[in-house]
Amino acid sequence: MYLKACPGYKNKIYLSFVQGYRDESGKTKQKTIEKIGYLEDLKKIYDDPITHFKEIAKQRNSEEINELVIKNLNTKIIDESHSRKNLGYIIPKRIYKELGIHEFLKEKSSKLKIEYNLQDIFELLVYSRILFPNSKLSTYNHKDLYFENYDFSEKNMYRSFDYLANYKDEILKLCWNNTKDLYNRDTSNTYYDTTNYYFEISYNDEDKLDENGNVIEKGLRKKGPSKEHRKSPIIQMGLLMDNNGLPMYYDLFPGNESEKTQMRPTLKKTKAKFDIGKTVIVADRGQNTSDNTVFIAGKNDDDKTNHDGYVYGQSIIGADEEFKNWAVDQEGFITDVIQDEDNNEVYFKHKSRIFAKNVQIKKDNQRTVKYQIYQKQMVYYSQKYADKQRYERELAILKAKDLIENPGKYTQATSYGCTKYINNISFNKKTGEVADDSNLSLNLDKIKTEEKFDGYYSIVTSEKHLSDKEIRDIYKGLWKIEETFKITKSELETRPVFVWTPESIETHFLSCFIALLIIRLLEQKTNRKFSNHYIIDSLKKYSSTKIEHDVYLQDFRNDVIKDLEKIFNIDLSHKYLTLSQIKKILKF
């Protein structure tokens, strides 16, 4: 019920109490509950009639809701009724609006000859990926979980993927522009890593060829080295993240391609599209190649073609003999101490040097060009790290010994982690079983080599002015991107991927990326007080149950909801809300 003021006799304003309701077709209508009188007459009685009667309407609404609750205590649930809706999505909706995607897609839809709104579809994909991740079909079938009027068909949803996929770069740039100042995004250091996501299929996508046999479109779903050691086809993602742990840009590439060649084009595109100046790219040792080093830092100190920097992990075992000998030589080491996560003192030692490293790369896939790269090389040793490596290797060796004794117990999948310690091992490509068990033996040379380097780790950087501690601290930031990938695979359930066309795959990962960005921004807004899992779980639980007509019951509240109320300046404390009140909260 609310106060309505409308022109009456001789255009004099007349006040009355009006009740809003929906008819059987779902259309909003209203009926007069009580006539009050003309405003000019009421002013003779009340100082401010409108404020007075609005307060009465508010009070009566509360009383009516209480009466409804008491009246309907014994009411039974209607079979297959859908009386519960999520209201927690109001928080992701706020950030989604900040990103500017809603206006962008509304404008795009208005210029296309389509009968549906791209914005509604993409919004549903993002909210559902955060709160109720599932297949696209399940997402569509549960679109009434929200208070939004998502008026599109299942076919409309799948058709929209062709358009949404083409807007990827524009949407990511829009997100960057609308968050770089608002969230103080820092690109002094940027972090890059790759991961892959599996499909529950057994075949590879074919490449599309032109009439001359040239590849015009690569198939994305290809069998390759899976992070989860699956045999299914995978798709790979390269992700670039800023210094605060917020995702910036992503690229997809076929599952059978090397991850080492993907960082350069991703970094180049991102810098150009986002107008970013110098950045120090931080990556693990998988990206530490001569090509990547030359591309990022240039060929020597006088080369001005590139002005970016790098901090890479460096494999000691895989390095040249000179580097390996220097790494384990005890001369020059400095002992230091830090506190671990349990406030225990941890001793370690480290040393560093400036070194002129000679590298060579292929130019135009034809000629070999030699460069000299001046870099700071750092190595450190930790007894705690050595103990960890030794323990993990001993477990793998025990498994390797058992495989050698009982090869029939193992397949290529179940033998993961121990085969590098076994000589002459191979597997049947069809069955995955050990192909020939007649000459298996323990690789003692491999074990002896690894023991020599237990506890040692190395980092190399173009930033020669940085101290050893600064290098370590920057490199430690890689845990943020590793955690980010875990969020996509656990909380967002990005895989397995159920769609199959290139456009639908791109749209799937685009909606996952925006969902990930929203979660990370929520963490930042709450000063990382809560885990991403706790935030998502709280928003999922903040739901509304329809108890009568347009009255809804909210039965969940915790410290996350309380903090988000303050941050977004909204009131989510009411136990009972009418549909009109909920719509008002959702409009901002």
Side-chain angles (χ1 to χ4, degrees):
M1 184 175 68
Y2 61 93
L3 180 68
K4 184 176 181 180
C6 59
Y9 178 68
K10 292 184 178 181
N11 285 327
K12 292 192 296 183
I13 300 301
Y14 194 87
L15 302 184
S16 56
F17 288 129
V18 174
Q19 177 74 56
Y21 69 98
R22 292 181 184 272
D23 64 15
E24 293 180 357
S25 65
K27 292 183 179 179
T28 302
K29 293 190 175 183
Q30 60 185 30
K31 60 181 177 180
T32 301
I33 302 299
E34 181 183 340
K35 296 178 180 180
I36 302 173
Y38 288 105
L39 181 60
E40 62 180 36
D41 296 333
L42 295 169
K43 283 182 177 179
K44 297 173 184 178
I45 305 172
Y46 306 100
D47 293 335
D48 187 351
I50 291 185
T51 300
H52 173 76
F53 287 104
K54 277 186 175 180
E55 189 61 35
I56 290 177
K58 183 178 180 181
Q59 183 179 347
R60 287 188 182 180
N61 279 330
S62 297
E63 291 172 353
E64 286 179 12
I65 289 173
N66 289 332
E67 288 176 9
L68 283 170
V69 174
I70 295 170
K71 175 184 173 183
N72 290 282
L73 283 176
N74 295 318
T75 302
K76 294 184 178 180
I77 298 173
I78 301 172
D79 290 345
E80 298 185 10
S81 63
H82 299 283
S83 59
R84 192 164 176 83
K85 293 179 180 288
N86 179 267
L87 190 52
Y89 78 97
I90 186 176
I91 301 301
K93 184 182 178 78
R94 295 263 169 157
I95 296 184
Y96 185 88
K97 285 281 187 77
E98 285 181 354
L99 299 178
I101 302 173
H102 63 302
E103 293 297 340
F104 171 82
L105 289 178
K106 281 182 181 178
E107 182 183 355
K108 291 294 184 183
S109 294
S110 67
K111 296 177 180 179
L112 297 170
K113 294 180 179 179
I114 54 177
E115 57 186 15
Y116 50 87
N117 192 325
L118 293 172
Q119 147 58 21
D120 289 347
I121 295 172
F122 192 67
E123 184 182 75
L124 173 65
L125 294 178
V126 172
Y127 299 159
S128 297
R129 186 53 50 183
I130 296 172
L131 298 171
F132 308 105
N134 214 316
S135 68
K136 299 297 176 286
L137 179 59
S138 179
T139 296
Y140 174 79
N141 289 335
H142 292 89
K143 58 188 174 73
D144 58 355
L145 277 171
Y146 309 94
F147 285 95
E148 308 297 322
N149 181 27
Y150 291 129
D151 186 20
F152 55 85
S153 68
E154 180 188 337
K155 286 184 178 179
N156 292 157
M157 180 183 69
Y158 287 110
R159 287 169 181 163
S160 74
F161 297 165
D162 290 348
Y163 296 106
L164 292 169
N166 288 330
Y167 298 143
K168 170 199 164 183
D169 282 355
E170 291 179 82
I171 289 174
L172 296 190
K173 184 177 180 180
L174 183 69
C175 291
W176 171 258
N177 289 339
N178 289 333
T179 58
K180 63 180 180 180
D181 296 326
L182 186 61
Y183 290 90
N184 300 313
R185 302 193 67 168
D186 176 11
T187 58
S188 56
N189 298 319
T190 49
Y191 293 82
Y192 180 84
D193 202 356
T194 63
T195 192
N196 48 57
Y197 302 89
Y198 68 88
F199 294 75
E200 291 189 332
I201 57 175
S202 58
Y203 54 86
N204 285 341
D205 282 340
E206 297 291 335
D207 295 336
K208 288 186 179 180
L209 309 177
D210 62 16
E211 56 186 11
N212 297 318
N214 300 314
V215 177
I216 56 175
E217 183 180 312
K218 292 181 179 179
L220 287 172
R221 302 179 299 175
K222 299 284 183 71
K223 292 183 179 180
S226 169
K227 302 284 185 182
E228 295 165 286
H229 320 301
R230 291 175 174 268
K231 292 184 178 182
S232 307
I234 57 175
I235 189 170
Q236 302 198 69
M237 173 191 281
L239 181 68
L240 192 66
M241 186 183 75
D242 70 16
N243 204 29
N244 296 324
L246 299 176
M248 296 170 62
Y249 192 84
Y250 76 92
D251 259 331
L252 302 176
F253 55 98
N256 62 346
E257 289 190 1
S258 170
E259 63 180 33
K260 296 180 180 180
T261 61
Q262 305 301 325
M263 183 178 72
R264 298 193 298 277
T266 298
L267 181 62
K268 189 175 181 179
K269 278 192 291 187
T270 307
K271 290 196 65 178
K273 292 178 185 297
F274 294 179
D275 191 26
I276 296 171
K278 176 180 177 177
T279 185
V280 176
I281 191 80
V282 186
D284 67 14
R285 57 193 183 188
Q287 301 297 328
N288 185 4
T289 66
S290 298
D291 296 83
N292 287 342
T293 302
V294 171
F295 170 78
I296 290 173
K299 62 182 180 181
N300 55 48
D301 287 350
D302 297 322
D303 186 1
K304 305 300 180 184
T305 56
N306 274 326
H307 62 286
D308 292 321
Y310 62 84
V311 175
Y312 291 145
Q314 168 68 51
S315 168
I316 297 179
I317 293 179
D320 58 50
E321 288 300 317
E322 190 280 332
F323 186 91
K324 286 191 282 192
N325 291 334
W326 171 75
V328 297
D329 187 344
Q330 297 306 298
E331 184 179 352
F333 271 108
I334 301 169
T335 301
D336 215 336
V337 61
I338 58 172
Q339 287 186 321
D340 63 14
E341 59 273 12
D342 298 320
N343 291 322
N344 299 316
E345 289 188 340
V346 178
Y347 288 86
F348 69 99
K349 53 187 181 179
H350 61 94
K351 65 177 178 178
S352 60
R353 67 179 183 178
I354 306 297
F355 189 79
K357 182 179 179 181
N358 295 314
V359 300
Q360 55 184 30
I361 65 172
K362 284 276 189 180
K363 283 283 188 179
D364 306 320
N365 292 322
Q366 295 178 346
R367 58 194 178 94
T368 300
V369 180
K370 295 181 179 180
Y371 293 99
Q372 192 172 62
I373 301 292
Y374 288 88
Q375 63 180 200
K376 181 172 184 177
Q377 300 174 337
M378 175 198 161
V379 63
Y380 61 93
Y381 173 86
S382 163
Q383 185 60 50
K384 185 177 180 180
Y385 183 43
D387 293 341
K388 178 177 181 292
Q389 287 182 301
R390 190 173 300 112
Y391 174 74
E392 290 176 349
R393 184 174 55 252
E394 286 172 355
L395 291 179
I397 291 172
L398 286 174
K399 187 175 179 180
K401 288 179 178 178
D402 188 56
L403 189 154
I404 293 170
E405 292 295 323
N406 307 285
K409 287 171 53 178
Y410 294 86
T411 64
Q412 188 171 11
T414 60
S415 63
Y416 176 78
C418 74
T419 53
K420 64 179 179 178
Y421 300 115
I422 303 175
N423 291 317
N424 308 313
I425 189 165
S426 61
F427 296 92
N428 185 301
K429 290 184 179 181
K430 291 184 178 180
T431 65
E433 297 173 344
V434 178
D436 183 3
D437 57 9
S438 61
N439 198 26
L440 300 181
S441 62
L442 205 60
N443 190 337
L444 298 176
D445 290 338
K446 174 76 173 176
I447 296 170
K448 187 176 180 180
T449 299
E450 284 193 1
E451 288 175 341
K452 182 179 179 181
F453 298 105
D454 279 347
Y456 290 91
Y457 200 90
S458 179
I459 304 171
V460 297
T461 179
S462 60
E463 308 306 282
K464 299 179 285 295
H465 60 285
L466 295 178
S467 68
D468 290 4
K469 182 180 184 305
E470 288 172 316
I471 297 170
R472 281 200 316 275
D473 288 345
I474 290 173
Y475 190 73
K476 280 180 184 177
L478 271 176
W479 73 267
K480 296 175 188 175
I481 201 165
E482 291 168 358
E483 183 194 50
T484 294
F485 284 141
K486 287 180 182 177
I487 293 172
T488 67
K489 294 182 178 183
S490 56
E491 303 299 336
L492 301 183
E493 297 183 21
T494 303
R495 85 289 185 254
V497 187
F498 296 107
V499 290
W500 61 276
T501 67
E503 293 78 17
S504 59
I505 291 172
E506 190 70 79
T507 299
H508 170 72
F509 282 101
L510 177 60
S511 62
C512 291
F513 179 92
I514 300 302
L516 173 66
L517 177 58
I518 289 174
I519 291 170
R520 285 305 203 189
L521 291 174
L522 274 176
E523 287 179 314
Q524 185 166 313
K525 276 185 174 290
T526 56
N527 294 317
R528 295 177 173 80
K529 181 178 177 181
F530 310 107
S531 70
N532 56 77
H533 175 80
Y534 192 32
I535 292 173
I536 294 171
D537 189 58
S538 300
L539 296 178
K540 187 184 299 185
K541 289 178 179 176
Y542 190 76
S543 295
S544 302
T545 302
K546 189 175 182 179
I547 58 175
E548 180 75 20
H549 300 301
D550 287 340
V551 179
Y552 286 82
L553 165 71
Q554 281 64 235
D555 58 4
F556 178 81
R557 185 170 174 78
N558 66 357
D559 48 353
V560 172
I561 301 298
K562 291 176 186 177
D563 276 28
L564 292 173
E565 283 181 320
K566 296 174 185 176
I567 292 168
F568 292 97
N569 193 28
I570 53 178
D571 186 0
L572 301 176
S573 63
H574 293 285
K575 188 170 185 177
Y576 302 105
L577 290 171
T578 63
L579 182 60
S580 60
Q581 289 173 318
I582 291 173
K583 293 286 188 182
K584 189 175 181 180
I585 293 173
L586 290 168
K587 279 189 176 181
F588 49 88

